Amino acid sequence: MIIALEGIDGSGKTSQAMLLRDWLSHRMDTFFTEWNSSEWVHEIIKEAKKKNALTPSTFSLIHATDFADRYEKFILPMLKAGFVVVSDRYIYTAYARDSVRGNDLSWVKGVYSFAVKPNLTFYIRVPVEVALSRIKESRRFIKPSEAGDGMFQNVTPEEGFLKYQSMVIDVYEKLAKEEDFVVLDGTKSPREVQTKIREKVGELLWKED
Ligand code: ADP
């Protein structure tokens, strides 16, 4: 089984994914994975971004390479071994990020068609201003990747964040219907969000009980 968590930066995905992983790992074999974390491709991505070398399609394809590396080396073997995979971001992150950069969404879907769809996808919905204030409170700076990685000229990091993440939200909202996401109100407390997640995961994993 794959359980994916999606949402914009600052929506609370990582916090929720960790809580879910800890809860599940007491009950079954659980494997946690996160976006852009392959052993070697992410270093190349960092270099390419520093040089401002990526076009919309190479941005997409290099992230797909990172994902494919992780997918083939870890996600698929873990699934085959019977683990539950908790994925902090999954293919829908690429659908959203790559299409706001100008790639055709159906092309992006084709690129990622080698990957199985998650059994359950949580979309943590928060207003973009809430996400921004959380990020500023927690670390007081905005990463370039959170503000569109150079997509916009002459904007402050905050403006870039609001513009970029609003575009990403528009795609997620469209996907939520098409891909049957479980939509969670991310403005609720972490405990309330986690309770909903555990209810749904429990229904999926232990439905015959
Ligand atoms: P993401 O992985 O989506 O970027 P994080 O889990 O890293 O989000 O959370 C971003 C910040 O918001 C962290 O400082 C975290 O403690 C805080 N946070 C997460 N969930 C909530 C919540 N439900 N309410 C208030 N703050 C939250």
Side-chain angles (χ1 to χ4, degrees), residues 8-16 88 134 138 186 188-190 193:
I8 59 169
D9 295 306
S11 60
K13 291 175 310 297
T14 305
S15 312
Q16 294 301 328
D88 181 355
R134 283 182 188 170
S138 65
K188 301 272 191 217
S189 71
V193 177

Side-chain angles (χ1 to χ4, degrees), residues 1-4 24 28-33 67-68 70-87 90-91 112-120 204-205:
M1 295 251 176
I2 302 188
I3 300 165
L24 273 178
M28 52 188 33
D29 291 331
T30 307
F31 178 72
F32 173 76
T33 184
F67 178 81
R70 226 162 18 96
Y71 186 78
E72 287 169 16
K73 286 187 186 150
F74 298 102
I75 297 176
L76 206 50
M78 289 298 177
L79 287 175
K80 285 185 179 156
F83 279 61
V84 173
V85 175
V86 175
S87 195
Y90 196 65
I91 55 175
Y112 281 87
S113 59
F114 63 87
V116 295
K117 292 277 177 88
N119 300 80
L120 199 52
L204 177 75
L205 292 173

Side-chain angles (χ1 to χ4, degrees), residues 72-141:
E72 287 169 16
K73 286 187 186 150
F74 298 102
I75 297 176
L76 206 50
M78 289 298 177
L79 287 175
K80 285 185 179 156
F83 279 61
V84 173
V85 175
V86 175
S87 195
D88 181 355
R89 298 188 172 281
Y90 196 65
I91 55 175
Y92 305 115
T93 286
Y95 288 15
R97 290 183 173 174
D98 296 354
S99 66
V100 304
R101 261 189 180 71
N103 294 294
D104 187 56
L105 181 56
S106 59
W107 178 81
V108 182
K109 287 181 178 179
V111 169
Y112 281 87
S113 59
F114 63 87
V116 295
K117 292 277 177 88
N119 300 80
L120 199 52
T121 303
F122 293 103
Y123 167 53
I124 307 181
R125 179 189 275 153
V126 288
V128 69
E129 296 79 11
V130 171
L132 178 60
S133 71
R134 283 182 188 170
I135 285 176
K136 286 173 74 178
E137 266 168 40
S138 65
R139 54 175 147 79
R140 299 181 192 281
F141 72 94

